[in-house]
Amino acid sequence: MRTSLNVPEDLLGEFDETWQAEGLDSRSRAIREAMAEYVESHTDLERVSGTVAAAVVFDYEHTHVIEALHDVQHEHQEVITATSHTHQGEWCLETVFCRGEADEIREFVHRVKDFDRVRRVTVMVLGIEN
């Protein structure tokens, strides 16, 4: 299937440099692999149930969302066990360690992703209890 995309020029340049440095044979192959990784990373948390441990890593523009992000974290404090935060200029990188019901952690992740000034959210499911 053919498709077209609107991609910022600087991002496309970085993407091309990356797949070429890895020795892939085409941009199409690199996009297919990136799409597969995206689907995999977004379905891991969606598929689990019960009590899980997870790390939620995200970056955001500090001045625009810090108060609202703190509100979301306080609303989900029953599943948040620890946080790690560092400043990188106007941007922050935060890791939130969670333990609790998968549904609650999913809700927290979806709320964080809903902010316009949150750039990326990565979730790693660390363990599942039966």
Side-chain angles (χ1 to χ4, degrees):
M1 166 184 262
R2 288 195 175 273
T3 189
S4 65
L5 304 167
N6 292 319
V7 180
E9 194 170 316
D10 58 334
L11 179 59
L12 183 62
E14 289 180 49
F15 184 76
D16 285 344
E17 288 176 17
T18 302
W19 68 261
Q20 290 167 355
E22 290 181 355
L24 294 179
D25 57 357
S26 70
R27 181 187 288 158
S28 292
R29 173 150 180 226
I31 290 171
R32 285 192 304 272
E33 286 190 17
M35 290 173 74
E37 287 179 18
Y38 179 85
V39 169
E40 181 180 305
S41 72
H42 286 77
T43 58
D44 281 351
L45 185 60
E46 297 301 319
R47 291 182 179 155
V48 298
S49 61
T51 302
V52 300
V56 182
V57 181
F58 52 96
D59 61 340
Y60 58 94
E61 198 166 5
H62 179 85
T63 55
H64 294 316
V65 296
I66 189 66
E67 289 182 33
L69 273 173
H70 282 167
D71 290 344
V72 169
Q73 288 180 346
H74 285 125
E75 291 169 18
H76 292 87
Q77 65 186 349
E78 69 278 356
V79 296
I80 295 174
T81 60
T83 62
S84 176
H85 179 100
T86 184
H87 295 270
Q88 300 299 318
E90 290 297 313
W91 285 83
C92 296
L93 177 63
E94 190 146 350
T95 304
V96 178
F97 300 94
C98 301
R99 186 176 192 289
E101 289 300 311
D103 290 340
E104 290 294 321
I105 296 172
R106 261 192 297 277
E107 171 64 24
F108 170 68
V109 169
H110 293 160
R111 294 278 308 279
V112 169
K113 285 182 176 184
D114 199 31
F115 288 94
D116 287 338
R117 298 295 186 152
V118 171
R119 188 168 33 195
R120 292 169 293 195
V121 179
T122 302
V123 180
M124 180 186 300
V125 178
L126 300 174
I128 302 171
E129 293 180 6
N130 294 323

